[in-house]
Structures are given as structure tokens and as C-alpha cells.
Amino acid sequence: MELNLPDQQLMLFSEFVAQTIGLYFPPSRWPDLRRGVAAAAIELGIVDPINCARELMSAPLVQEHLDALAKHLTVGETYFFRESRSFEVLERHILPALIRSRQESGRRLRIWSAGCCTGEEPYSIAISLLRTIPDWSEWSITLLATDLNPNFLLKAESGIFGSWSFRNAPAEIKDRYFRAASDGRFEILPEIKRMVRFVQLNLADDAYPAAYDIQAMDVVFCRNVLMYFAPRQAKKVVENLCRAQTDDGWLIVSPSDSSNALGPGYRAVNFGEVMIYKKGTRPSIPQPQSTEPPATPVKLPTVRRSRRARRIAAIINPPQDAAALYAQGRYDEAADLLEKLLSDRPNDPAILGLLVRALANQGRLTEALDRCDQWIGADKLNPSSHYLRSVVLQEQNAVEGAVQSLQKALYLDPEFVLAHFALGNIIRNRGRAGEAHRHMNNALRSLRRFGPSDVLPESDGITAGRLAEIIGSMRNQEAVA
Ligand SMILES: C[S@@+](CC[C@H](N)C(=O)[O-])C[C@H]1O[C@@H](n2cnc3c(N)ncnc32)[C@H](O)[C@@H]1O
């Protein structure tokens, strides 16, 4: 089943995914995102993938939703002793230096495989430890392995692997550290298995739970993970990894992971062809800032007032109770309340605007369109009403009508960023690249009025910086094609 979301909505969903689990889906990867949401919808028992995307975005992510996204959006490529040169540096340089410095002071080592996938990486690290520290059983060794995808972790915990997992490992690895299992597979020896502790962890979370004891790590492996992350999320993850390390800790990433994310907390150290990162002695890691919009709608408290007070508030103020319900994703209740408010104030633009959104979010598109027309009649100079009309029309596949509404929105506000962007997308899909390019230029020009972390009007939370990134990556994609 494919998810037939219009590009505009897919863009918002990709932003939501970047904020919640860090993963970056530029337009070139939207087909993967569509497939992933369709599969997650089936798993969650939600009939329509479009509703699935809406439901996921409309409330804080519960574990079941997080698991479904993780299972269908992550990439699970890995094998034993992948990028073997990093393991050579670990065994020849990093571990011997750590052993020397810790020999007399506690014999303690802490290593973290962040984004461990199905376990090949942390078990390779365990084997490296055995090979480098002959008296390893007299050391206190922590080897933590974390991943977002619960299925990957189950496989990792089983310790059983097929031949494909050994595709680049020296033959002696399988012979010395594994025993035969059923179906021609191989099981890691129990003493190695016991060295690794697997835990589910979302690297995109702001703070890692203290319960997992993620601190004072001597070595962190985070390879082939950051390359899938949105650039700003990758940076945030690196800052968190840095905080979780000892002052002289090492970070091992893959050559494919952009070093742009590494920031001031680490300095690169060259070991021949391999670049490993050492934590600076005095890192200047900025504290996490909460300038970005929250990943999920803010949970507004439901305002409890007497009926009379509510009625007065409804007359004096915008419909705040309905806005609170809407912000909590309770669109049907919000719509009911707004319909009631309309009987007192039939042409109130604030009520009509919110009602259009509440109806559209439930998929009640015909009603949303009717109310939108009523809103336009009541508030003729408001560009947002035309823009929302275009969004509803796109959902109905009425593309020509959507173009006309976008043009009206732009006539009323020539700097309406999302209207330029939406028009550019529609025109690009019609194969008129040059014209689409001009609209994207207009969007970029209009973006200059905003700071990078400003949330754009009518965007449900997308920031100016993020839209600029998206347009940039669309451009790169077009240049490559
Ligand atoms: C390509 S694998 C890399 C595995 C291993 N590090 C290696 O280099 O062979 C990427 C892993 O990152 C995990 N991942 C993706 N997003 C994550 C997140 N937000 N938190 C934790 N792990 C994540 C995926 O589930 C996947 O197992």
C-alpha cells in the first residue's frame, strides 16, 4: 500500500520524523518515507496511511508508535568488523593507551555502540577487547549497545547470525568466537554475549535516561548512523555523545558520516588513513537550546470554566477552548465546539479558520472546503484562507483549483513563503523546472524575513531554517539528476 500524501504534507511529516527520531528524508527519499508510513499503518492497524501520518503527528509519540516508525524507517546494514581499519586503530592504539592509563586506577573501561543495529558492531568490539586485554575478566568492562529499532535489538540479543553477517570478517573470527547453530547459522560464544548489554534508546532524545548509565564513556562508536540524520539533529546527537564521554574519550564515526556534525567538542586525530575523534580537554559544548518548536503539538491544558464564563470568553476572546482541543489533536471535539460557537458568531474569521483546519485534519474535506469559502467571504483580504483552501484542494487532487488559490494567496501577500513553495512543487511535478525554480527562489527570498528557528506561518511547526535546507537539498538533487 502506498501513502498518497501530497508533497506539502509529506514535507511536514518528514520534518516530524526528523524532530522525533532524527532521521532525514529529503524529497529524494520521500518514496521510502511513503513506503515506511504505509507499513507502519498496517502494523498499527490504521486502515488509511494518510490518517496514520496524521495520528502520529497529532499527539506525543507513544512507545507503540515510536516502535512502528523505527521498524519501518531505519536502515539495518551492518556486518562484523565493518570498516576494519577502525578496529585496527582500536586494538593497536586506543585500547593499549586506555589500558596503560587505567591499569593502576580502577581497571575500568566503558564503551558504547550507539546505533548498534543487529549486534555485529558491539560483538566485534567485545572480540577486540578479548584480543587486546588478556586478563579482561579482572577488569570492570561496560559494553553498552543501543538502537532505536526493537526488532534489530531482538536479533542482536539472540546472538545468532547468518553467513552474510561475516561477509568482510577474517575467517578466524567465525571459527574462534562462534559455534554452529541450526540452519547453518552461527551463535556467538556465551562469554562474549554476556559482555554486551543491549538497550533501546532514541539518539534524538534530548536527554538520555540516567537509568541506562550513559556517562563517562571512554570510547563511543556511532558509525553509519549520523549519515541518516538531519544535519541539525546530527549536531545535537554529537553534543550529547560528547557530554556522555570522559574528558579524554574517543569517538569513532564512519567516513560516510559527515564530519560537519562534529563541532568544537572533538578534534580529529589521524591514524594513517583512519580519522578518529578525541574529545577536546576543554570542550565548549553549548547547552541544548529549546529554540526549535516542539516535535509534537504542545499539550495545552483544557481550560475549565463555568458555562457563563465560557460564553463570555467565547464572545470576547478567540475560541481558546477549541484551540486547546485542536492543539491536543482532538479535532472532532474542536470542530463540534466551533460549530456551536458559530451559531452566535456566524462569520467570525478566527472561528472559521480553526474550523477549516479541524475539519481538514479529520479528512472531512468537502465540509472543510465549504467552511473555507465561508471564511473567504467573511475575511476577503486574508491570504491564509486561500492558502488553506489550496491545501484542501490538493488533498482532493483538484490541482488546478489549488494553483488558483495559491495565486490569490500570493496576490494578497507576495511574501507568503509556503505559498511560493507549494506552487513551486506543483509546477515542478508538471515538469516545468525553470518556472518551479523561480518559485523556489521567491520562497528563499521571502524566507529572509525570518530567523532560522522562526516557525513559518501556516506550517504546523516547520522552521525557516528547515525549509531553506529542504529547498537546498531539492536543488542538489536536481543538479545531480
Ligand atoms: C546502518 S545501521 C549502522 C549499524 C552499525 N553502527 C554499523 O556501522 O554497522 C544504522 C542504525 O542506526 C539506528 N538508528 C537510526 N535512528 C536512530 C535513532 N534515532 N536512535 C538510535 N538508533 C537509531 C538504526 O536503527 C540502525 O540500526
mmCIF file of all heavy atoms in Angstrom, residues 279-317:
data_model
loop_
_atom_site.group_PDB
_atom_site.id
_atom_site.type_symbol
_atom_site.label_atom_id
_atom_site.label_comp_id
_atom_site.label_asym_id
_atom_site.label_seq_id
_atom_site.Cartn_x
_atom_site.Cartn_y
_atom_site.Cartn_z
ATOM 1 N N LYS A 279 37.933 13.665 22.307
ATOM 2 C CA LYS A 279 37.251 14.763 22.978
ATOM 3 C C LYS A 279 38.292 15.810 23.377
ATOM 4 O O LYS A 279 39.360 15.473 23.892
ATOM 5 C CB LYS A 279 36.516 14.243 24.213
ATOM 6 C CG LYS A 279 35.654 15.286 24.890
ATOM 7 C CD LYS A 279 34.698 14.639 25.877
ATOM 8 C CE LYS A 279 34.075 15.664 26.791
ATOM 9 N NZ LYS A 279 33.080 15.107 27.687
ATOM 10 N N GLY A 280 37.974 17.095 23.116
ATOM 11 C CA GLY A 280 38.884 18.166 23.498
ATOM 12 C C GLY A 280 38.962 18.214 25.012
ATOM 13 O O GLY A 280 38.004 17.844 25.702
ATOM 14 N N THR A 281 40.134 18.688 25.545
ATOM 15 C CA THR A 281 40.257 18.674 27.001
ATOM 16 C C THR A 281 39.300 19.662 27.644
ATOM 17 O O THR A 281 38.809 19.477 28.721
ATOM 18 C CB THR A 281 41.698 19.005 27.443
ATOM 19 O OG1 THR A 281 42.167 20.035 26.591
ATOM 20 C CG2 THR A 281 42.574 17.785 27.379
ATOM 21 N N ARG A 282 39.056 20.787 26.925
ATOM 22 C CA ARG A 282 38.084 21.738 27.464
ATOM 23 C C ARG A 282 37.012 22.004 26.402
ATOM 24 O O ARG A 282 37.060 23.012 25.703
ATOM 25 C CB ARG A 282 38.772 23.034 27.873
ATOM 26 C CG ARG A 282 38.661 23.252 29.374
ATOM 27 C CD ARG A 282 39.443 24.435 29.825
ATOM 28 N NE ARG A 282 40.847 24.122 29.992
ATOM 29 C CZ ARG A 282 41.838 24.932 29.683
ATOM 30 N NH1 ARG A 282 41.593 26.111 29.177
ATOM 31 N NH2 ARG A 282 43.083 24.570 29.878
ATOM 32 N N PRO A 283 36.105 21.078 26.225
ATOM 33 C CA PRO A 283 35.133 21.259 25.155
ATOM 34 C C PRO A 283 34.195 22.419 25.453
ATOM 35 O O PRO A 283 33.865 22.668 26.603
ATOM 36 C CB PRO A 283 34.348 19.937 25.169
ATOM 37 C CG PRO A 283 34.517 19.428 26.549
ATOM 38 C CD PRO A 283 35.831 19.916 27.048
ATOM 39 N N SER A 284 33.828 23.119 24.388
ATOM 40 C CA SER A 284 32.845 24.189 24.616
ATOM 41 C C SER A 284 31.542 23.762 23.971
ATOM 42 O O SER A 284 31.191 24.158 22.885
ATOM 43 C CB SER A 284 33.323 25.488 23.995
ATOM 44 O OG SER A 284 33.524 25.267 22.611
ATOM 45 N N ILE A 285 30.853 22.853 24.648
ATOM 46 C CA ILE A 285 29.600 22.336 24.119
ATOM 47 C C ILE A 285 28.450 23.211 24.597
ATOM 48 O O ILE A 285 28.244 23.362 25.796
ATOM 49 C CB ILE A 285 29.370 20.896 24.625
ATOM 50 C CG1 ILE A 285 30.524 20.016 24.210
ATOM 51 C CG2 ILE A 285 28.058 20.335 24.116
ATOM 52 C CD1 ILE A 285 30.650 19.853 22.727
ATOM 53 N N PRO A 286 27.725 23.789 23.654
ATOM 54 C CA PRO A 286 26.598 24.600 24.119
ATOM 55 C C PRO A 286 25.531 23.735 24.777
ATOM 56 O O PRO A 286 25.335 22.586 24.384
ATOM 57 C CB PRO A 286 26.060 25.230 22.826
ATOM 58 C CG PRO A 286 26.613 24.398 21.722
ATOM 59 C CD PRO A 286 27.841 23.712 22.227
ATOM 60 N N GLN A 287 24.897 24.285 25.761
ATOM 61 C CA GLN A 287 23.783 23.557 26.372
ATOM 62 C C GLN A 287 22.655 23.443 25.355
ATOM 63 O O GLN A 287 22.519 24.305 24.487
ATOM 64 C CB GLN A 287 23.272 24.311 27.604
ATOM 65 C CG GLN A 287 24.238 24.274 28.774
ATOM 66 C CD GLN A 287 24.614 22.858 29.167
ATOM 67 O OE1 GLN A 287 23.746 22.041 29.429
ATOM 68 N NE2 GLN A 287 25.903 22.543 29.179
ATOM 69 N N PRO A 288 21.853 22.347 25.426
ATOM 70 C CA PRO A 288 20.772 22.247 24.457
ATOM 71 C C PRO A 288 19.842 23.452 24.589
ATOM 72 O O PRO A 288 19.524 23.865 25.694
ATOM 73 C CB PRO A 288 20.034 20.961 24.845
ATOM 74 C CG PRO A 288 20.598 20.538 26.136
ATOM 75 C CD PRO A 288 21.861 21.274 26.380
ATOM 76 N N GLN A 289 19.493 24.006 23.431
ATOM 77 C CA GLN A 289 18.602 25.157 23.491
ATOM 78 C C GLN A 289 17.245 24.742 22.998
ATOM 79 O O GLN A 289 17.136 23.899 22.134
ATOM 80 C CB GLN A 289 19.134 26.260 22.582
ATOM 81 C CG GLN A 289 20.427 26.812 23.122
ATOM 82 C CD GLN A 289 21.080 27.740 22.122
ATOM 83 O OE1 GLN A 289 20.577 27.938 21.027
ATOM 84 N NE2 GLN A 289 22.201 28.288 22.519
ATOM 85 N N SER A 290 16.234 25.329 23.543
ATOM 86 C CA SER A 290 14.899 24.926 23.115
ATOM 87 C C SER A 290 14.299 25.993 22.218
ATOM 88 O O SER A 290 13.183 26.414 22.389
ATOM 89 C CB SER A 290 14.008 24.675 24.325
ATOM 90 O OG SER A 290 14.040 25.830 25.108
ATOM 91 N N THR A 291 15.138 26.462 21.237
ATOM 92 C CA THR A 291 14.604 27.485 20.342
ATOM 93 C C THR A 291 13.729 26.868 19.267
ATOM 94 O O THR A 291 12.937 27.541 18.648
ATOM 95 C CB THR A 291 15.748 28.240 19.657
ATOM 96 O OG1 THR A 291 16.649 27.264 19.161
ATOM 97 C CG2 THR A 291 16.449 29.164 20.604
ATOM 98 N N GLU A 292 13.883 25.551 19.035
ATOM 99 C CA GLU A 292 13.100 24.935 17.975
ATOM 100 C C GLU A 292 11.690 24.628 18.467
ATOM 101 O O GLU A 292 11.473 24.460 19.657
ATOM 102 C CB GLU A 292 13.771 23.635 17.536
ATOM 103 C CG GLU A 292 15.054 23.944 16.829
ATOM 104 C CD GLU A 292 15.549 22.779 16.031
ATOM 105 O OE1 GLU A 292 14.876 21.737 16.040
ATOM 106 O OE2 GLU A 292 16.585 22.915 15.397
ATOM 107 N N PRO A 293 10.756 24.541 17.556
ATOM 108 C CA PRO A 293 9.406 24.224 18.003
ATOM 109 C C PRO A 293 9.358 22.795 18.526
ATOM 110 O O PRO A 293 10.172 21.978 18.116
ATOM 111 C CB PRO A 293 8.574 24.333 16.717
ATOM 112 C CG PRO A 293 9.556 24.118 15.624
ATOM 113 C CD PRO A 293 10.858 24.641 16.113
ATOM 114 N N PRO A 294 8.445 22.491 19.453
ATOM 115 C CA PRO A 294 8.367 21.132 19.949
ATOM 116 C C PRO A 294 8.002 20.171 18.831
ATOM 117 O O PRO A 294 7.357 20.566 17.855
ATOM 118 C CB PRO A 294 7.248 21.202 20.995
ATOM 119 C CG PRO A 294 6.525 22.465 20.717
ATOM 120 C CD PRO A 294 7.446 23.370 20.014
ATOM 121 N N ALA A 295 8.462 18.899 18.988
ATOM 122 C CA ALA A 295 8.249 17.926 17.930
ATOM 123 C C ALA A 295 6.768 17.634 17.729
ATOM 124 O O ALA A 295 6.332 17.308 16.650
ATOM 125 C CB ALA A 295 8.977 16.645 18.279
ATOM 126 N N THR A 296 6.030 17.709 18.773
ATOM 127 C CA THR A 296 4.625 17.364 18.675
ATOM 128 C C THR A 296 3.824 18.554 19.193
ATOM 129 O O THR A 296 4.355 19.386 19.904
ATOM 130 C CB THR A 296 4.337 16.153 19.565
ATOM 131 O OG1 THR A 296 5.004 16.377 20.789
ATOM 132 C CG2 THR A 296 4.841 14.889 18.939
ATOM 133 N N PRO A 297 2.560 18.629 18.829
ATOM 134 C CA PRO A 297 1.808 19.799 19.269
ATOM 135 C C PRO A 297 1.878 19.980 20.782
ATOM 136 O O PRO A 297 1.885 19.006 21.527
ATOM 137 C CB PRO A 297 0.384 19.458 18.843
ATOM 138 C CG PRO A 297 0.533 18.478 17.750
ATOM 139 C CD PRO A 297 1.777 17.709 18.037
ATOM 140 N N VAL A 298 1.951 21.213 21.199
ATOM 141 C CA VAL A 298 2.023 21.498 22.631
ATOM 142 C C VAL A 298 0.732 21.045 23.271
ATOM 143 O O VAL A 298 -0.341 21.279 22.734
ATOM 144 C CB VAL A 298 2.137 23.015 22.852
ATOM 145 C CG1 VAL A 298 2.381 23.320 24.309
ATOM 146 C CG2 VAL A 298 3.212 23.594 21.973
ATOM 147 N N LYS A 299 0.867 20.356 24.403
ATOM 148 C CA LYS A 299 -0.359 19.919 25.084
ATOM 149 C C LYS A 299 -0.870 21.064 25.924
ATOM 150 O O LYS A 299 -0.348 21.339 26.992
ATOM 151 C CB LYS A 299 -0.029 18.716 25.966
ATOM 152 C CG LYS A 299 -0.415 17.419 25.323
ATOM 153 C CD LYS A 299 -0.606 16.349 26.364
ATOM 154 C CE LYS A 299 -1.598 15.339 25.856
ATOM 155 N NZ LYS A 299 -2.006 14.368 26.766
ATOM 156 N N LEU A 300 -1.864 21.727 25.437
ATOM 157 C CA LEU A 300 -2.410 22.820 26.222
ATOM 158 C C LEU A 300 -3.372 22.259 27.250
ATOM 159 O O LEU A 300 -4.122 21.336 26.952
ATOM 160 C CB LEU A 300 -3.188 23.787 25.322
ATOM 161 C CG LEU A 300 -2.378 24.473 24.226
ATOM 162 C CD1 LEU A 300 -3.284 25.393 23.443
ATOM 163 C CD2 LEU A 300 -1.234 25.234 24.824
ATOM 164 N N PRO A 301 -3.352 22.802 28.456
ATOM 165 C CA PRO A 301 -4.326 22.327 29.427
ATOM 166 C C PRO A 301 -5.727 22.717 28.974
ATOM 167 O O PRO A 301 -5.914 23.790 28.398
ATOM 168 C CB PRO A 301 -3.950 23.075 30.705
ATOM 169 C CG PRO A 301 -3.144 24.234 30.248
ATOM 170 C CD PRO A 301 -2.522 23.876 28.943
ATOM 171 N N THR A 302 -6.669 21.835 29.176
ATOM 172 C CA THR A 302 -8.051 22.198 28.833
ATOM 173 C C THR A 302 -8.536 23.196 29.871
ATOM 174 O O THR A 302 -8.401 22.971 31.069
ATOM 175 C CB THR A 302 -8.945 20.944 28.885
ATOM 176 O OG1 THR A 302 -8.261 19.929 28.181
ATOM 177 C CG2 THR A 302 -10.290 21.209 28.267
ATOM 178 N N VAL A 303 -9.017 24.303 29.368
ATOM 179 C CA VAL A 303 -9.429 25.347 30.301
ATOM 180 C C VAL A 303 -10.820 25.014 30.824
ATOM 181 O O VAL A 303 -11.738 24.784 30.037
ATOM 182 C CB VAL A 303 -9.482 26.720 29.574
ATOM 183 C CG1 VAL A 303 -9.715 27.841 30.554
ATOM 184 C CG2 VAL A 303 -8.205 26.926 28.796
ATOM 185 N N ARG A 304 -10.954 24.922 32.147
ATOM 186 C CA ARG A 304 -12.263 24.611 32.713
ATOM 187 C C ARG A 304 -12.890 25.888 33.244
ATOM 188 O O ARG A 304 -12.343 26.545 34.112
ATOM 189 C CB ARG A 304 -12.112 23.607 33.856
ATOM 190 C CG ARG A 304 -11.628 22.270 33.407
ATOM 191 C CD ARG A 304 -12.667 21.201 33.736
ATOM 192 N NE ARG A 304 -12.296 19.980 33.039
ATOM 193 C CZ ARG A 304 -12.868 19.608 31.906
ATOM 194 N NH1 ARG A 304 -13.818 20.316 31.350
ATOM 195 N NH2 ARG A 304 -12.481 18.492 31.306
ATOM 196 N N ARG A 305 -13.998 26.240 32.695
ATOM 197 C CA ARG A 305 -14.672 27.450 33.172
ATOM 198 C C ARG A 305 -16.160 27.157 33.302
ATOM 199 O O ARG A 305 -16.649 26.173 32.766
ATOM 200 C CB ARG A 305 -14.510 28.584 32.169
ATOM 201 C CG ARG A 305 -13.096 28.930 31.857
ATOM 202 C CD ARG A 305 -13.118 30.282 31.153
ATOM 203 N NE ARG A 305 -11.869 30.477 30.457
ATOM 204 C CZ ARG A 305 -11.740 30.390 29.142
ATOM 205 N NH1 ARG A 305 -12.795 30.081 28.409
ATOM 206 N NH2 ARG A 305 -10.601 30.594 28.571
ATOM 207 N N SER A 306 -16.852 28.043 34.029
ATOM 208 C CA SER A 306 -18.301 27.875 34.113
ATOM 209 C C SER A 306 -18.903 28.144 32.739
ATOM 210 O O SER A 306 -18.274 28.781 31.889
ATOM 211 C CB SER A 306 -18.883 28.886 35.114
ATOM 212 O OG SER A 306 -18.804 30.165 34.523
ATOM 213 N N ARG A 307 -20.145 27.674 32.520
ATOM 214 C CA ARG A 307 -20.760 27.865 31.207
ATOM 215 C C ARG A 307 -20.844 29.341 30.842
ATOM 216 O O ARG A 307 -20.550 29.758 29.737
ATOM 217 C CB ARG A 307 -22.174 27.278 31.225
ATOM 218 C CG ARG A 307 -22.199 25.918 30.584
ATOM 219 C CD ARG A 307 -23.544 25.362 30.650
ATOM 220 N NE ARG A 307 -24.241 25.518 29.386
ATOM 221 C CZ ARG A 307 -25.448 25.043 29.182
ATOM 222 N NH1 ARG A 307 -26.080 24.447 30.150
ATOM 223 N NH2 ARG A 307 -26.036 25.163 28.038
ATOM 224 N N ARG A 308 -21.218 30.117 31.890
ATOM 225 C CA ARG A 308 -21.390 31.552 31.612
ATOM 226 C C ARG A 308 -20.030 32.178 31.259
ATOM 227 O O ARG A 308 -19.900 32.912 30.285
ATOM 228 C CB ARG A 308 -21.992 32.226 32.855
ATOM 229 C CG ARG A 308 -22.269 33.675 32.609
ATOM 230 C CD ARG A 308 -23.169 34.285 33.677
ATOM 231 N NE ARG A 308 -23.213 35.716 33.474
ATOM 232 C CZ ARG A 308 -22.330 36.543 33.983
ATOM 233 N NH1 ARG A 308 -21.342 36.105 34.730
ATOM 234 N NH2 ARG A 308 -22.425 37.847 33.738
ATOM 235 N N ALA A 309 -19.029 31.808 32.079
ATOM 236 C CA ALA A 309 -17.695 32.360 31.813
ATOM 237 C C ALA A 309 -17.224 31.947 30.432
ATOM 238 O O ALA A 309 -16.612 32.728 29.708
ATOM 239 C CB ALA A 309 -16.716 31.870 32.874
ATOM 240 N N ARG A 310 -17.534 30.676 30.062
ATOM 241 C CA ARG A 310 -17.107 30.194 28.741
ATOM 242 C C ARG A 310 -17.762 31.012 27.633
ATOM 243 O O ARG A 310 -17.144 31.364 26.655
ATOM 244 C CB ARG A 310 -17.496 28.736 28.578
ATOM 245 C CG ARG A 310 -16.387 27.800 28.988
ATOM 246 C CD ARG A 310 -16.395 26.551 28.144
ATOM 247 N NE ARG A 310 -17.644 25.838 28.175
ATOM 248 C CZ ARG A 310 -17.982 24.950 29.111
ATOM 249 N NH1 ARG A 310 -17.156 24.704 30.106
ATOM 250 N NH2 ARG A 310 -19.127 24.329 29.056
ATOM 251 N N ARG A 311 -19.059 31.286 27.867
ATOM 252 C CA ARG A 311 -19.802 32.024 26.862
ATOM 253 C C ARG A 311 -19.220 33.431 26.717
ATOM 254 O O ARG A 311 -18.978 33.903 25.605
ATOM 255 C CB ARG A 311 -21.276 32.101 27.293
ATOM 256 C CG ARG A 311 -22.188 32.447 26.182
ATOM 257 C CD ARG A 311 -23.613 32.372 26.688
ATOM 258 N NE ARG A 311 -24.440 33.265 25.930
ATOM 259 C CZ ARG A 311 -24.889 33.006 24.716
ATOM 260 N NH1 ARG A 311 -24.583 31.866 24.150
ATOM 261 N NH2 ARG A 311 -25.630 33.871 24.071
ATOM 262 N N ILE A 312 -18.889 34.048 27.861
ATOM 263 C CA ILE A 312 -18.311 35.395 27.799
ATOM 264 C C ILE A 312 -16.958 35.340 27.086
ATOM 265 O O ILE A 312 -16.672 36.121 26.193
ATOM 266 C CB ILE A 312 -18.157 35.984 29.222
ATOM 267 C CG1 ILE A 312 -19.556 36.261 29.778
ATOM 268 C CG2 ILE A 312 -17.318 37.250 29.200
ATOM 269 C CD1 ILE A 312 -19.573 36.581 31.247
ATOM 270 N N ALA A 313 -16.168 34.325 27.470
ATOM 271 C CA ALA A 313 -14.834 34.211 26.855
ATOM 272 C C ALA A 313 -14.970 34.041 25.353
ATOM 273 O O ALA A 313 -14.189 34.595 24.577
ATOM 274 C CB ALA A 313 -14.090 33.026 27.454
ATOM 275 N N ALA A 314 -15.973 33.238 24.962
ATOM 276 C CA ALA A 314 -16.147 32.996 23.533
ATOM 277 C C ALA A 314 -16.521 34.276 22.806
ATOM 278 O O ALA A 314 -16.206 34.450 21.642
ATOM 279 C CB ALA A 314 -17.230 31.938 23.330
ATOM 280 N N ILE A 315 -17.193 35.157 23.531
ATOM 281 C CA ILE A 315 -17.578 36.404 22.867
ATOM 282 C C ILE A 315 -16.401 37.377 22.817
ATOM 283 O O ILE A 315 -16.129 38.009 21.818
ATOM 284 C CB ILE A 315 -18.782 37.037 23.601
ATOM 285 C CG1 ILE A 315 -19.999 36.131 23.390
ATOM 286 C CG2 ILE A 315 -19.068 38.438 23.081
ATOM 287 C CD1 ILE A 315 -21.132 36.411 24.324
ATOM 288 N N ILE A 316 -15.645 37.408 23.910
ATOM 289 C CA ILE A 316 -14.581 38.419 23.984
ATOM 290 C C ILE A 316 -13.297 37.938 23.299
ATOM 291 O O ILE A 316 -12.652 38.666 22.577
ATOM 292 C CB ILE A 316 -14.283 38.754 25.462
ATOM 293 C CG1 ILE A 316 -15.533 39.403 26.066
ATOM 294 C CG2 ILE A 316 -13.116 39.720 25.568
ATOM 295 C CD1 ILE A 316 -15.482 39.523 27.566
ATOM 296 N N ASN A 317 -12.961 36.645 23.540
ATOM 297 C CA ASN A 317 -11.658 36.139 23.074
ATOM 298 C C ASN A 317 -11.814 35.255 21.858
ATOM 299 O O ASN A 317 -12.894 34.796 21.551
ATOM 300 C CB ASN A 317 -11.028 35.288 24.189
ATOM 301 C CG ASN A 317 -10.787 36.110 25.421
ATOM 302 O OD1 ASN A 317 -10.359 37.232 25.313
ATOM 303 N ND2 ASN A 317 -11.115 35.555 26.563
#
